[in-house]
Amino acid sequence: MPPEQGEEHKIEQANKRLPAYALRQLIRSSEFTGNTSGYAQGKVQGNIVILPQDWASDFLQFCQLNPKPCPLIGMSSTPGDFTLNDFGEDIDIRTDVPGYQLFEHGQLIKEFTDIKMLWREDLVTFVLGCSFSFEESLIADGIDIRNISENKNVPMYRTNITCKTAGRFRGNTVVSMRPMLAKDAIRAIQICSRFPSVHGAPIHFGEPNLIGIDDINIPDYGDSVTIKTNEVPVFWACGVTPQLALRQSKPPFCITHSPGKMLVTDINNASLAVL
Amino acid sequence: MPPEQGEEHKIEQANKRLPAYALRQLIRSSEFTGNTSGYAQGKVQGNIVILPQDWASDFLQFCQLNPKPCPLIGMSSTPGDFTLNDFGEDIDIRTDVPGYQLFEHGQLIKEFTDIKMLWREDLVTFVLGCSFSFEESLIADGIDIRNISENKNVPMYRTNITCKTAGRFRGNTVVSMRPMLAKDAIRAIQICSRFPSVHGAPIHFGEPNLIGIDDINIPDYGDSVTIKTNEVPVFWACGVTPQLALRQSKPPFCITHSPGKMLVTDINNASLAVL
C-alpha cells in the first residue's frame, strides 16, 4: 500500500484501541467522523433519535410497544438537556456522535458533524441498543459474522411484520440478516436471548418469503453477503425500524445519528446481559 | 364408545390426576403397567439404566461426556441400593417402574413389570432426564407439540453425530423431532436452554440430511408426524441414545425401563430450570 494509506491504517488501528472517552473527544473535535463499528470494543454503542417534546411521548410509547426493533436503553432526563451522564463521562449529545442527519417532515435535509447550532430547549434524546453489542458476543463464541468477515454493512430488509402503532408512529419491522449453520443459529439464539436491550433473540430464520422478503440477495439497506452451502439466513429486528417509522410519521423536526456512526458509551456490553 | 371403554377412559383420566406417590403405588402393585406420558403432570419422569458396578463407571463417564443425549439427573448412592430417596418418597427401583427390559450382551431377553427376582448386590441405577419435562414447558407457552396433539410417539432418528466414547461405550446420537414454525422454534430454543438436564436446547433444525437422516417421514423409532406447510423439523438429542450405546457395547447384564414407561418422581419439572 502507498505510504499515506499505511499511515491512515496505522491511525485507524490506534484509534480503534482508544478508550471510549478518548474516542468521544476526537469525535467532539470532528477529528473522527467515521463509522464506529470495531471501535471501543466491549462498550455499548447506541442508535440516537432526537425529537421535540411534543413528539417524544408517542415515540417513547412506540419503543415500549416494539422492544425488539426499538430497544430503548435510555433517554435524556429533561427536555433540552444535552448531557447523558448515565451513558458516559461528560457526554454532550450535540457534539459526541460522528455524524447526524436532520429530518424535516420525514425528509432528509442535511448531514452534520455537530448539532450545537440546531439545538432547542424542547429536544428529547433517545438512545437505542445496537447490534454491535450482540455481534461481539457471537464472535467471542467463535461464530462467523459474515458482514464483519466480509467487511460489509449488514444486509437489512423491510418485512411484512407490522409494528404496534403508538400515536403518530407506525411502520413495519426492518430486519438484519446473518447467515450461519443451524448449530450456530441455535447458539446465537441462546446468546442473544441474554441481551434483550440490543434486539434480543432473532425473530425468524429460514424461508425469507414468510416475512415478506422477495429476494435475499437484494437487501433494502446495507450490502448483500455470501450465504454458504448449508447455511440458513437468521433475521434479527433492526434499529432501522424506528428510522423507517420516523420517515413515515413525518415529525416536522427530527435528528438521528448517521447510519453506522453511533454514540460510543462507557457502558460495558457485558453489563447488558440479563442472565 | 361402548360402556366398558367409557369405564376404562374414566379410570385413565382419574389415574392421570393421581399424585406421583399414589401412581407409584399402583405401579408397584402392577395395577398400572402402561405408558406414563401425561401422568403426574408437573413432575419429572426419568429414563432408567441399571448396570453392574464393573460397567457403571464407563457409563457414568459416557453420560458426563455426552450430556445432551444422556442428561444424568441422579444415580443410586451405593451399588445394590434399590432406593432413590432423592427422587421421591419410598421409591424402590425394583418395583416402581411400569415396565422393564432385560438385556444380556446387548440382546433384549424379556420384559418385566417387577425386577425383584433379578436384583443383585452389584447393580447401580442411573436416572436420566426425559423430554416429557420440556414438552410440558413448551405446551405451557402455547407451542403445539405434534406428537402429543396427534397422540403418537415422538419420531426418532439415528444420526451421523458421533457421541464421545467412554471406555466400552460408544455410538451415534439419536434425535427426536418436533415440527414447528421458525418463531416457535426460536422460543423452544429459549425455553429448552433453561432445562439442560432434560436434553436442553435442540441440536439441529431444518435440513435432515445434514445430520444423516435420509427420509424425515421414516423415523427409526416412534411414529411419523405431520409436518405442516412452513414448519421446520427441530431436532433434540434423545434418551434412546444411551440405549443404542448399550446395545452396541453389549454389557453382559443390563436393565432399562421399557420405552415410554418411565420412573415418575416427586421432583417438580420447574425445579430443573437453571435460570
Side-chain angles (χ1 to χ4, degrees), chain A residues 230-252:
Chain A
N230 298 335
E231 288 184 336
V232 289
V234 183
F235 300 94
W236 277 261
C238 171
V240 172
T241 307
Q243 300 218 359
L244 195 67
L246 286 162
R247 286 184 175 240
Q248 290 181 358
S249 309
K250 303 186 187 355

Short mmCIF file of all heavy atoms in Angstrom, two decimals, chain A residues 230-252:
data_model
loop_
_atom_site.label_atom_id
_atom_site.label_comp_id
_atom_site.label_asym_id
_atom_site.label_seq_id
_atom_site.Cartn_x
_atom_site.Cartn_y
_atom_site.Cartn_z
N ASN A 230 -25.51 -24.96 3.08
CA ASN A 230 -25.98 -25.49 4.38
C ASN A 230 -26.26 -24.40 5.41
O ASN A 230 -26.69 -24.71 6.52
CB ASN A 230 -25.01 -26.52 4.99
CG ASN A 230 -24.84 -27.73 4.11
OD1 ASN A 230 -25.71 -28.03 3.31
ND2 ASN A 230 -23.71 -28.39 4.24
N GLU A 231 -26.00 -23.15 5.06
CA GLU A 231 -26.33 -22.07 6.00
C GLU A 231 -27.78 -21.63 5.82
O GLU A 231 -28.35 -21.72 4.73
CB GLU A 231 -25.41 -20.87 5.79
CG GLU A 231 -23.99 -21.16 6.28
CD GLU A 231 -23.07 -19.94 6.16
OE1 GLU A 231 -23.34 -19.05 5.33
OE2 GLU A 231 -22.07 -19.91 6.90
N VAL A 232 -28.36 -21.16 6.90
CA VAL A 232 -29.70 -20.59 6.85
C VAL A 232 -29.60 -19.11 7.19
O VAL A 232 -28.78 -18.71 8.01
CB VAL A 232 -30.67 -21.27 7.84
CG1 VAL A 232 -31.02 -22.68 7.41
CG2 VAL A 232 -30.13 -21.28 9.26
N PRO A 233 -30.44 -18.27 6.54
CA PRO A 233 -30.46 -16.86 6.95
C PRO A 233 -31.17 -16.72 8.30
O PRO A 233 -32.21 -17.33 8.51
CB PRO A 233 -31.25 -16.18 5.82
CG PRO A 233 -32.08 -17.26 5.22
CD PRO A 233 -31.35 -18.56 5.44
N VAL A 234 -30.56 -15.95 9.19
CA VAL A 234 -31.15 -15.71 10.52
C VAL A 234 -31.42 -14.22 10.62
O VAL A 234 -30.56 -13.39 10.29
CB VAL A 234 -30.20 -16.18 11.64
CG1 VAL A 234 -30.86 -16.00 13.01
CG2 VAL A 234 -29.80 -17.64 11.43
N PHE A 235 -32.64 -13.87 11.05
CA PHE A 235 -33.11 -12.48 10.98
C PHE A 235 -33.34 -11.89 12.37
O PHE A 235 -34.06 -12.48 13.18
CB PHE A 235 -34.42 -12.42 10.20
CG PHE A 235 -34.32 -12.92 8.78
CD1 PHE A 235 -34.61 -14.25 8.46
CD2 PHE A 235 -33.90 -12.07 7.77
CE1 PHE A 235 -34.51 -14.71 7.16
CE2 PHE A 235 -33.80 -12.53 6.45
CZ PHE A 235 -34.10 -13.85 6.15
N TRP A 236 -32.74 -10.73 12.61
CA TRP A 236 -32.94 -10.00 13.86
C TRP A 236 -33.74 -8.72 13.58
O TRP A 236 -33.52 -8.07 12.54
CB TRP A 236 -31.60 -9.57 14.44
CG TRP A 236 -30.86 -10.57 15.25
CD1 TRP A 236 -30.82 -10.66 16.61
CD2 TRP A 236 -29.99 -11.63 14.78
NE1 TRP A 236 -30.00 -11.69 17.01
CE2 TRP A 236 -29.49 -12.31 15.91
CE3 TRP A 236 -29.61 -12.07 13.49
CZ2 TRP A 236 -28.62 -13.39 15.82
CZ3 TRP A 236 -28.75 -13.16 13.39
CH2 TRP A 236 -28.27 -13.80 14.55
N ALA A 237 -34.58 -8.31 14.49
CA ALA A 237 -35.20 -6.99 14.42
C ALA A 237 -34.08 -5.96 14.44
O ALA A 237 -33.07 -6.13 15.12
CB ALA A 237 -36.15 -6.78 15.59
N CYS A 238 -34.25 -4.89 13.69
CA CYS A 238 -33.14 -3.99 13.37
C CYS A 238 -33.49 -2.54 13.74
O CYS A 238 -34.64 -2.11 13.64
CB CYS A 238 -32.85 -4.11 11.88
SG CYS A 238 -31.69 -2.90 11.25
N GLY A 239 -32.46 -1.82 14.14
CA GLY A 239 -32.60 -0.43 14.56
C GLY A 239 -32.98 0.54 13.45
O GLY A 239 -33.25 1.72 13.73
N VAL A 240 -33.02 0.05 12.21
CA VAL A 240 -33.52 0.91 11.13
C VAL A 240 -35.05 1.03 11.21
O VAL A 240 -35.63 1.97 10.66
CB VAL A 240 -33.04 0.38 9.75
CG1 VAL A 240 -33.68 1.12 8.60
CG2 VAL A 240 -31.51 0.50 9.66
N THR A 241 -35.68 0.11 11.93
CA THR A 241 -37.14 0.15 12.09
C THR A 241 -37.64 1.51 12.58
O THR A 241 -38.54 2.10 11.95
CB THR A 241 -37.61 -0.98 13.05
OG1 THR A 241 -37.09 -2.22 12.59
CG2 THR A 241 -39.12 -1.02 13.14
N PRO A 242 -37.09 2.06 13.68
CA PRO A 242 -37.59 3.39 14.11
C PRO A 242 -37.29 4.48 13.08
O PRO A 242 -38.08 5.42 12.95
CB PRO A 242 -36.83 3.63 15.43
CG PRO A 242 -35.69 2.68 15.44
CD PRO A 242 -36.14 1.49 14.65
N GLN A 243 -36.20 4.36 12.35
CA GLN A 243 -35.91 5.37 11.33
C GLN A 243 -36.98 5.34 10.24
O GLN A 243 -37.41 6.39 9.75
CB GLN A 243 -34.53 5.12 10.73
CG GLN A 243 -33.42 5.18 11.79
CD GLN A 243 -32.14 5.84 11.29
OE1 GLN A 243 -32.07 6.25 10.13
NE2 GLN A 243 -31.17 5.97 12.17
N LEU A 244 -37.39 4.11 9.87
CA LEU A 244 -38.45 3.99 8.86
C LEU A 244 -39.76 4.57 9.39
O LEU A 244 -40.47 5.28 8.67
CB LEU A 244 -38.62 2.50 8.51
CG LEU A 244 -39.41 2.17 7.25
CD1 LEU A 244 -38.64 2.62 6.00
CD2 LEU A 244 -39.67 0.67 7.17
N ALA A 245 -40.05 4.29 10.67
CA ALA A 245 -41.28 4.84 11.28
C ALA A 245 -41.21 6.37 11.32
O ALA A 245 -42.22 7.05 11.09
CB ALA A 245 -41.46 4.27 12.68
N LEU A 246 -40.04 6.92 11.58
CA LEU A 246 -39.88 8.39 11.60
C LEU A 246 -40.11 8.98 10.22
O LEU A 246 -40.74 10.03 10.07
CB LEU A 246 -38.47 8.75 12.09
CG LEU A 246 -38.23 8.57 13.60
CD1 LEU A 246 -36.74 8.53 13.91
CD2 LEU A 246 -38.92 9.68 14.40
N ARG A 247 -39.62 8.30 9.19
CA ARG A 247 -39.83 8.81 7.83
C ARG A 247 -41.30 8.78 7.44
O ARG A 247 -41.80 9.65 6.73
CB ARG A 247 -39.03 7.98 6.82
CG ARG A 247 -37.54 8.29 6.87
CD ARG A 247 -36.76 7.55 5.81
NE ARG A 247 -35.38 7.98 5.85
CZ ARG A 247 -34.74 8.54 4.82
NH1 ARG A 247 -35.35 8.74 3.66
NH2 ARG A 247 -33.48 8.91 4.93
N GLN A 248 -41.99 7.73 7.95
CA GLN A 248 -43.42 7.60 7.60
C GLN A 248 -44.28 8.54 8.41
O GLN A 248 -45.32 9.01 7.94
CB GLN A 248 -43.88 6.16 7.81
CG GLN A 248 -43.28 5.20 6.79
CD GLN A 248 -43.75 3.78 6.97
OE1 GLN A 248 -44.51 3.48 7.88
NE2 GLN A 248 -43.30 2.90 6.08
N SER A 249 -43.87 8.79 9.66
CA SER A 249 -44.71 9.57 10.58
C SER A 249 -44.47 11.07 10.42
O SER A 249 -45.28 11.87 10.87
CB SER A 249 -44.43 9.13 12.02
OG SER A 249 -44.52 7.73 12.13
N LYS A 250 -43.36 11.42 9.80
CA LYS A 250 -43.07 12.79 9.39
C LYS A 250 -43.15 13.84 10.49
O LYS A 250 -43.87 14.86 10.33
CB LYS A 250 -44.01 13.20 8.23
CG LYS A 250 -43.95 12.29 7.01
CD LYS A 250 -44.78 12.84 5.87
CE LYS A 250 -44.93 11.95 4.66
NZ LYS A 250 -44.22 10.71 4.58
N PRO A 251 -42.46 13.67 11.60
CA PRO A 251 -42.39 14.78 12.56
C PRO A 251 -41.71 15.97 11.87
O PRO A 251 -40.82 15.77 11.03
CB PRO A 251 -41.53 14.24 13.70
CG PRO A 251 -40.78 13.09 13.11
CD PRO A 251 -41.62 12.52 12.03
N PRO A 252 -42.13 17.21 12.19
CA PRO A 252 -41.57 18.38 11.49
C PRO A 252 -40.07 18.51 11.70
O PRO A 252 -39.38 19.06 10.84
CB PRO A 252 -42.33 19.56 12.11
CG PRO A 252 -43.05 19.02 13.29
CD PRO A 252 -43.22 17.57 13.10
#
